[in-house]
Amino acid sequence: MSDQKYQPPISAVRAFVAVAKRLHFGSAAADLGVSQPSLSQSLAGLEAGLGVTLVERTTRKVMLTAEGRRLLGSAVAVCDAVDDFLLDAHGDLDPLSGSLRLGFIPTIAPYILPRVLHGLGERRPTLNLLVVEDQTDRLLSQLRDGALDAAVLALPANARGIGEIPMYAEDFVLALPHEHPLAGRRNVSPTLLEDLPLLLLDEGHCLRDQALEVCQLAGVSPDLRQTRAASLTTAVQCVEGGLGVTLIPKTAEAVETASGSLATAEFAAPRPGRTIGLVYRESSGRTEAYRALAADIADLVVGGGVVEPIPAEPASSVR
């Protein structure tokens, strides 16, 4: 039974969050800069004070209990609040200095990271970015659990407790074999997708859902190929091999057409596309800092000349 007067020390809550993130006591202790016995003692004290088991330990693995999963979000929020409190107490500290764990979805990361990492390195030399690439749902899960600080993905995320900062809008272009009759066209109607063999990414990729939404808005039922790709690069290679066509974001066009084996066509206005933004935990208390970071990223990507900046307000993933 829990002690109703128990006040958990922040070190114990941090120990729980670190173990939940790593699912490994040694790695969690290293993250916190403490010894493993000290971390284990802090976690055991937290469990005793709360009267619940948060972490299940076996000789082979570490996993969260049902209570641990239920309380993890609150524990992350507590750590965020304390971190924000400390930043406020030291008003000279920049929230965008030190390590920041930033997630990217796979249809964004390969195409903007070189420009973004180089640009942020010049603009914010004290910021140490740690990059994680993953699908949207997993990035949001890591964000909620405190394993990430923020993420760049297609909006809207529509996730509880997650703030969204729109950064830029980009068109979709149609990727085709080089000899395709539509290659180079600049006014293709989305209704033509009805008659084209459309290749999609695997389930879990937001670009798959966005491509299907484009078809739905055009009122067509495309010929969906059985071939599916785990990455946009693989989908493009299948297109080059004559297996069909696919949609790619405008930021991917230069990279994916560099070999000369792939052609593209642009859709007629209003062109389908997506909104890219920065998402973060609202409990972090760092909205203004993340707005500044989002503005930097947007400026760097827009500077490439292929996307348009958008107002900082929620927007649908297909416009």
Side-chain angles (χ1 to χ4, degrees):
M1 179 176 294
S2 64
D3 179 354
Q4 297 299 315
K5 296 181 180 180
Y6 174 65
Q7 296 292 318
I10 186 60
S11 59
V13 180
R14 290 192 192 279
F16 168 47
V17 171
V19 171
K21 180 177 72 174
R22 289 289 198 166
L23 296 180
H24 187 278
F25 276 74
S27 298
D31 287 348
L32 295 177
V34 300
S35 68
Q36 189 169 329
S38 177
L39 178 133
S40 297
Q41 185 176 5
S42 291
L43 180 58
L46 179 65
E47 291 176 319
L50 296 176
V52 297
T53 300
L54 300 171
V55 177
E56 183 178 343
R57 313 154 178 84
T58 70
T59 55
R60 293 189 175 184
K61 64 189 304 185
V62 175
M63 64 189 103
L64 295 184
T65 64
E67 286 298 316
R69 290 192 297 271
R70 183 175 68 84
L71 293 174
L72 179 57
S74 297
V76 170
V78 166
C79 293
D80 283 341
V82 171
D83 288 340
D84 192 48
F85 172 77
L86 294 174
L87 283 172
D88 283 346
H90 300 82
D92 57 330
L93 295 182
D94 182 0
L96 295 180
S97 63
S99 295
L100 188 143
R101 299 158 296 181
L102 187 61
F104 290 84
I105 56 175
T107 57
I108 292 178
Y111 312 112
I112 74 167
L113 265 181
R115 177 181 290 270
V116 167
L117 292 179
H118 178 73
L120 288 180
E122 292 184 339
R123 296 184 180 202
R124 300 188 179 275
T126 61
L127 178 63
N128 177 31
L129 277 186
L130 306 175
V131 172
V132 175
E133 183 186 63
D134 213 330
Q135 293 180 7
T136 298
D137 286 346
R138 290 199 284 264
L139 290 178
L140 290 173
S141 178
Q142 293 175 67
L143 193 56
R144 292 190 197 95
D145 294 347
L148 287 178
D149 297 304
V152 175
L153 44 78
L155 300 183
N158 290 330
R160 183 178 179 183
I162 301 298
E164 303 180 3
I165 305 171
M167 297 191 299
Y168 61 88
E170 65 176 334
D171 297 333
F172 292 139
V173 296
L174 186 62
L176 309 149
H178 199 268
E179 67 281 0
H180 197 282
L182 292 178
R185 288 268 300 273
R186 302 180 67 86
N187 60 346
V188 174
S189 170
T191 59
L192 291 181
L193 292 172
E194 179 89 58
D195 304 315
L196 298 174
L198 184 62
L199 304 179
L200 297 174
L201 296 183
D202 280 341
E203 298 281 355
H205 287 279
C206 60
L207 186 57
R208 173 190 175 88
D209 299 330
Q210 291 158 359
L212 292 174
E213 189 176 352
V214 170
C215 297
Q216 182 182 24
L217 291 175
V220 302
S221 300
D223 172 17
L224 300 180
R225 301 280 89 175
Q226 290 301 310
T227 298
R228 291 188 301 177
S231 71
L232 191 56
T233 297
T234 300
V236 164
Q237 290 173 344
C238 290
V239 172
E240 291 175 346
L243 298 185
V245 303
T246 195
L247 298 185
I248 64 174
K250 189 69 175 176
T251 48
E253 185 176 19
V255 172
E256 298 298 354
T257 60
S259 68
S261 301
L262 184 78
T264 60
E266 295 184 4
F267 289 102
R271 291 181 292 274
R274 65 182 183 177
T275 295
I276 303 302
L278 186 79
V279 298
Y280 62 97
R281 288 187 307 280
E282 292 178 331
S283 65
S284 69
R286 298 184 179 182
T287 300
E288 292 310 310
Y290 290 137
R291 286 192 185 280
L293 177 62
D296 280 348
I297 294 174
D299 187 47
L300 291 166
V301 178
V302 169
V306 297
V307 301
E308 296 292 333
I310 59 174
E313 60 184 19
S316 62
S317 60
V318 176
R319 59 182 204 286

